[in-house]
Amino acid sequence: MKDILFRKSPMTDHGPTSISEFHAHIYFEGATARDHAYALRAALLSEFGGTPGGIREEPGGPHPLPDILVHIPVDRFANAVPYLMLNRAGLSILVHPETGSPVADHTENALWLGAPLAIDVEFLKAFEKRAAQRTA
Ligand code: ZN
């Protein structure tokens, strides 16, 4: 799948210039919400070109609740995200770009459907630092 490529922001002249994919993190708490999260996952995989990501039955990484990750190809964003908007049934969903900058991707550049949750930014900063050290 081709990345979305674009020019640097004219306001800041910095920041990422490509998005390789989007993540949809579907959060759940309790059996009913869990069932609904799994149903959304199934729809994203079967109807919206999504590919499966990790399923956390407990909070983990920067995520404060259990969540299901689905990878959304860039060319399916316009179909998948409105579907989630209309069918989230009260669940909180984090939609974020993948630009190679985990902190910005999960914070200032992220999109929340439903109530935003508190992402562990310090976890992401440590993750980003380790990744930078590996590629240095
Ligand atoms: Zn993610």
Side-chain angles (χ1 to χ4, degrees):
M1 178 53 54
K2 236 172 147 248
D3 291 6
I4 299 177
L5 302 175
F6 45 87
R7 295 164 59 105
K8 289 180 189 292
S9 161
M11 277 89 75
T12 60
D13 196 35
H14 72 272
T17 56
S18 71
I19 296 172
S20 59
E21 66 175 4
F22 293 92
H23 284 183
H25 291 273
I26 305 165
Y27 295 96
F28 60 92
E29 195 169 31
T32 303
R34 182 178 181 278
D35 288 349
H36 195 71
Y38 272 82
L40 289 175
R41 175 184 185 270
L44 289 173
L45 298 184
S46 66
E47 297 174 44
F48 297 98
T51 57
I55 297 175
R56 288 187 188 87
E57 295 285 349
E58 300 289 335
H63 303 285
L65 287 179
D67 79 291
I68 293 176
L69 167 62
V70 179
H71 299 264
I72 307 292
V74 293
D75 65 346
R76 303 307 299 274
F77 178 93
N79 299 88
V81 173
Y83 176 82
L84 293 172
M85 286 174 168
L86 298 182
N87 292 284
R88 66 183 182 78
L91 300 185
S92 291
I93 302 174
L94 171 66
V95 179
H96 71 80
E98 280 287 287
T99 70
S101 300
V103 175
D105 287 352
H106 289 78
T107 57
E108 63 198 87
N109 295 335
L111 164 68
W112 282 95
L113 306 178
L117 304 176
I119 294 294
D120 185 346
V121 178
E122 293 308 315
F123 178 96
L124 291 169
K125 285 180 179 171
F127 179 84
E128 191 167 290
K129 193 173 171 186
R130 285 194 303 277
Q133 286 165 347
R134 277 197 300 276
T135 57

